[in-house]
Amino acid sequence: MKKRKERIDRGIKVRSTDIFALSSWREMIYLALPRLLPIVGCLMLPIVLGVYWQKVLLSVAVFALLAISWDILAQTGMVSLGQALFFGVGAYCAGVLNHYWGVSPFITIPVAAIAGGLICTLFLLPVLRLRGIYFSMVTLIIPIMLVRIIEATKIFGGTEGLSGMTPLPSKWVEIYLIMGVLLTVLFCFRRMLDSDYGLVLKGISDNDRSVINAGINIYWFKVQSLFIAGSIGAFSGAFMTHVYMFVGMPVFVLDYSILPIAAAVVGGPGTLAGATLGAFLLVPMSEALRGFGGLRIVLYGVFLVVFIVALPEGIFHYIQRKYHQFERWVEVEK
Amino acid sequence: MSDTQLLKVDNLSKSFGGVRALHHVSFDLKPGELLGVIGPNGSGKTTLVNLITRFVKPTSGTVWFKGKKISHLPPYKIVRLGVARTFQMVKPFYNLPAFKNMIISLYSPRMKQLAGGRYGDRDAVALDLLEEVGFERDAHVAYKLAGALPQGYLKRLELAKAIALEPDLFILDELFSGLSLAEVASIVPIIEKMRIAGKAIIMIEHRLKELFRIADRVIVMNYGEKIADGTSKDVMESEAVKSAYLGTEAD
């Protein structure tokens, strides 16, 4: 007698999401919990944590935003290996505005987010027609190229970078600004991906010919997705410029490209929430492992492998499945 | 070109490197006509479709649609003019319900261009369209995951996606392949209905029996060339066609 695992939606899921007939507190909590938990968590964490971990939280949020930006691009069929491009361009936009013209951070950050998104879109416009690994290679190369250009031409402070940026008024403004943006971006773009518009984006990655066949100009949609992802990345770069009060060549380092991908893959791609969750796991883990000195990166790598092997679907997908469905073994004939 | 022609293909050729996939193919099509395209494997049928819809760039030759040259336009613009095709390989979103698979077609700018086109709630329109192609509403087939549907339904889904665009010319690339006789029989009335509505249809087919029954005219391809063009009966009796399918007799 063979057995097969069967997955069935929980009754409470059907009542509260598909039929939407809320009749008890339990059902309301069931529906609200997945939304409230991250909101309350993100708003409470800064109060609970000490000064050191507050700093870590900033970098968690930045990597979460980069991972979300990666995930949006990946959903549209563009696998980017160069989130550092978005981060760096945003960082330099804010840095230049603040350093040369003394513009307030509350203006440089939004301006850098929009302008950064536009610049990144322009950079990648010529390669939009490339697919798969060819597109990825170009995204990997552009940030490396930009570093060399800055080094060789000595523009924007050359290898020294630009320092003495205006900081944000207080660490509370810093931390709640980034947390607020992270939550807004997470919920808004999750909603976007679930909408019909999001379905068209996913269609481009899944089967672009069938999308073209609907008379849709996929390149225009790719540009939009690129701009959205670029702006999110550029925002995080601009934000960090004002936190570090410095912008220089390190903004283009590979970490900003690779870690977001690891976060999205470990957390579960395609949901944005998974990408965020991944960043909330990986960044603090990397900090916690600091005590191991040289072995840190080894342990970090081992954890990554364990996660990916044990939960190839991603942590978020796993949690989501357990939350909405129960499993049972059923007997199969023969 | 005259007013009665909907589509005119003139001397269309395509070479991939040294391989001649299509060689100086010309034909035209009237509104409401059902044209069958047959030929052995590798004879250039699908290439012909790809060239008309410009998923592949022609090496030479031109295509006119409604008196307008379309062979230089990008594929999405050709669709917007009113040419819809189905693909030989159906590749729906397997993890979405069937009706959600219609959304991309309903998102098309073509829907916005058409006066009196279908507007409003996309989900409702999708369900209506699927009912038209035989997704039984009472059995809630349209709500099933596309991955759980048999091939016959997937082909009909593909057809519904094309119908959603309200085109004037349908190009159906091997719609019947991989289907049972009963499934084919259930699709034929949908095609007949499209033709009665005055749509022109090009059908690429391997299922000759079913095709000959409904086609007004048949083109036969072999080695990238058009070797016959006429009614089903003429084509069936043509020597060139027999030799293409059965091989020439050795002397």
Side-chain angles (χ1 to χ4, degrees):
Chain A
M1 205 58 99
K2 268 184 163 178
K3 284 192 171 185
R4 176 174 75 85
K5 207 187 244 175
E6 190 181 46
R7 293 193 182 120
I8 299 169
D9 279 2
R10 287 179 201 280
I12 192 166
K13 196 232 170 199
V14 178
R15 284 197 300 281
S16 56
T17 59
D18 293 357
I19 310 177
F20 210 79
L22 300 180
S23 57
S24 69
W25 277 107
R26 219 178 134 241
E27 280 162 15
M28 280 189 221
I29 290 168
Y30 177 84
L31 199 64
L33 194 68
R35 281 115 188 136
L36 281 178
L37 205 64
I39 295 175
V40 174
C42 282
L43 298 182
M44 293 301 289
L45 265 180
I47 304 170
V48 187
L49 295 175
V51 181
Y52 174 73
W53 285 99
Q54 279 178 347
K55 286 278 171 216
V56 175
L57 195 60
L58 287 183
S59 109
V60 167
V62 161
F63 278 111
L65 282 170
L66 286 173
I68 287 175
S69 142
W70 182 86
D71 208 2
I72 290 175
L73 273 189
Q75 289 306 301
T76 324
M78 294 180 280
V79 177
S80 154
L81 293 177
Q83 294 313 100
L85 170 67
F86 305 162
F87 185 85
V89 167
Y92 265 99
C93 279
V96 167
L97 282 175
N98 187 261
H99 186 85
Y100 293 111
W101 292 288
V103 184
S104 142
F106 290 105
I107 296 168
T108 61
I109 293 178
V111 168
I114 304 291
L118 281 175
I119 294 169
C120 295
T121 310
L122 286 178
F123 266 127
L124 293 175
L125 210 52
V127 296
L128 218 53
R129 274 163 202 278
L130 299 184
R131 279 195 287 188
I133 194 73
Y134 306 102
F135 177 84
S136 310
M137 286 313 292
V138 174
T139 57
L140 180 66
I141 290 161
I142 292 178
I144 298 170
M145 238 165 56
L146 288 180
V147 172
R148 296 291 161 229
I149 290 174
I150 290 168
E151 194 181 354
T153 59
K154 297 187 173 57
I155 48 165
F156 307 142
T159 46
E160 305 276 303
L162 302 170
S163 46
M165 304 296 164
T166 323
L168 286 157
S170 80
K171 72 170 188 187
W172 295 109
V173 176
E174 262 174 21
I175 211 153
Y176 278 105
L177 174 69
I178 192 98
M179 282 299 162
V181 169
L182 175 61
L183 287 171
T184 317
V185 163
L186 175 62
F187 283 102
C188 288
F189 288 108
R190 246 178 91 79
R191 189 161 190 132
M192 181 193 84
L193 283 183
D194 278 341
S195 70
D196 292 352
Y197 176 84
L199 212 59
V200 175
L201 292 187
K202 285 181 196 161
I204 294 172
S205 77
D206 215 50
N207 186 354
D208 56 352
R209 284 159 66 98
S210 119
V211 180
I212 296 172
N213 203 36
I216 291 169
N217 183 356
I218 59 165
Y219 301 109
W220 175 233
F221 277 75
K222 279 188 175 185
V223 165
Q224 292 172 13
S225 161
L226 203 53
F227 174 73
I228 292 169
S231 289
I232 297 171
F235 167 85
S236 54
F239 174 79
M240 277 324 241
T241 294
H242 289 288
V243 170
Y244 290 144
M245 297 184 269
F246 164 81
V247 60
M249 289 173 4
V251 294
F252 288 113
V253 299
L254 210 54
D255 295 31
Y256 292 115
S257 302
I258 301 304
L259 220 148
I261 303 180
V265 170
V266 166
T271 57
L272 307 191
T276 312
L277 190 65
F280 270 83
L281 274 172
L282 291 187
V283 178
M285 194 172 80
S286 139
E287 286 301 322
L289 291 175
R290 264 182 205 286
F292 291 94
L295 281 178
R296 171 177 163 235
I297 207 78
V298 177
L299 286 170
Y300 189 70
V302 169
F303 273 120
L304 269 184
V305 172
V306 168
F307 272 131
I308 291 169
V309 171
L311 287 174
E313 57 186 336
I315 298 166
F316 183 77
H317 289 291
Y318 179 78
I319 297 176
Q320 200 178 29
R321 190 154 53 75
K322 289 283 171 200
Y323 192 70
H324 289 316
Q325 297 177 315
F326 62 88
E327 288 164 353
R328 65 176 182 201
W329 289 95
V330 286
E331 282 171 357
V332 187
E333 294 297 314
K334 272 180 279 179
Chain B
M1 93 185 247
S2 69
D3 294 339
T4 54
Q5 284 173 332
L6 182 71
L7 179 81
K8 186 177 162 66
V9 174
D10 188 24
N11 265 320
L12 210 54
S13 299
K14 176 70 191 178
S15 315
F16 295 104
V19 183
R20 269 188 351 196
L22 208 69
H23 193 58
H24 296 302
V25 170
S26 307
F27 66 90
D28 48 49
L29 193 67
K30 291 195 281 286
E33 199 174 12
L34 201 161
L35 175 74
V37 180
I38 61 170
N41 284 327
S43 58
K45 302 182 299 288
T46 298
T47 305
L48 178 65
V49 177
N50 284 338
L51 291 179
I52 295 172
T53 52
R54 213 171 167 287
F55 276 89
V56 173
K57 220 185 254 180
T59 312
S60 68
T62 39
V63 180
W64 279 276
F65 181 68
K66 292 186 196 162
K68 213 170 151 183
K69 195 174 156 194
I70 58 165
S71 40
H72 61 287
L73 293 174
Y76 69 91
K77 284 197 177 154
I78 294 177
V79 178
R80 286 185 198 176
L81 287 172
V83 181
R85 70 173 285 188
T86 62
F87 288 95
Q88 195 176 339
M89 296 290 187
V90 288
K91 209 181 146 208
F93 290 114
Y94 288 107
N95 50 1
L96 282 180
F99 77 96
K100 276 283 173 195
N101 271 279
M102 299 288 300
I103 300 298
I104 289 173
S105 292
L106 297 176
Y107 210 87
S108 165
R110 169 119 183 116
M111 300 300 296
K112 291 170 196 159
Q113 281 171 15
L114 288 168
R118 303 180 204 237
Y119 284 97
D121 185 5
R122 289 201 191 90
D123 287 354
V125 177
L127 291 172
D128 287 348
L129 280 164
L130 285 175
E131 198 180 12
E132 266 178 47
V133 297
F135 278 63
E136 299 86 354
R137 182 158 289 197
D138 298 336
H140 303 291
V141 191
Y143 293 97
K144 284 195 181 146
L145 294 187
L149 291 175
Q151 192 70 9
Y153 278 100
L154 293 181
K155 293 274 186 172
R156 275 187 259 176
L157 174 65
E158 189 76 5
L159 197 56
K161 276 162 51 178
I163 294 174
L165 301 169
E166 304 196 347
D168 301 303
L169 170 63
F170 285 93
I171 305 181
L172 312 176
D173 193 358
E174 297 201 18
L175 193 68
F176 292 163
S177 67
L179 297 188
S180 69
L181 276 177
E183 283 170 327
V184 170
S186 71
I187 292 183
V188 168
I190 304 165
I191 295 172
E192 292 286 357
K193 212 165 94 187
M194 281 155 39
R195 191 154 58 141
I196 290 164
K199 315 281 187 190
I201 302 164
I202 298 179
M203 286 187 82
I204 314 281
E205 259 326 314
H206 270 304
R207 306 277 285 257
L208 303 188
K209 216 167 115 193
E210 286 86 354
L211 180 71
F212 282 153
R213 205 172 295 155
I214 54 175
D216 297 313
R217 222 174 96 209
V218 176
I219 286 179
V220 188
M221 309 269 304
N222 199 18
Y223 296 114
E225 287 181 51
K226 186 173 96 171
I227 57 169
D229 184 345
T231 62
S232 306
K233 210 173 145 224
D234 295 345
V235 164
M236 257 192 290
E237 284 162 4
S238 139
E239 280 305 312
V241 177
K242 281 182 191 160
S243 68
Y245 268 92
L246 305 172
T248 39
E249 246 173 273
D251 292 318

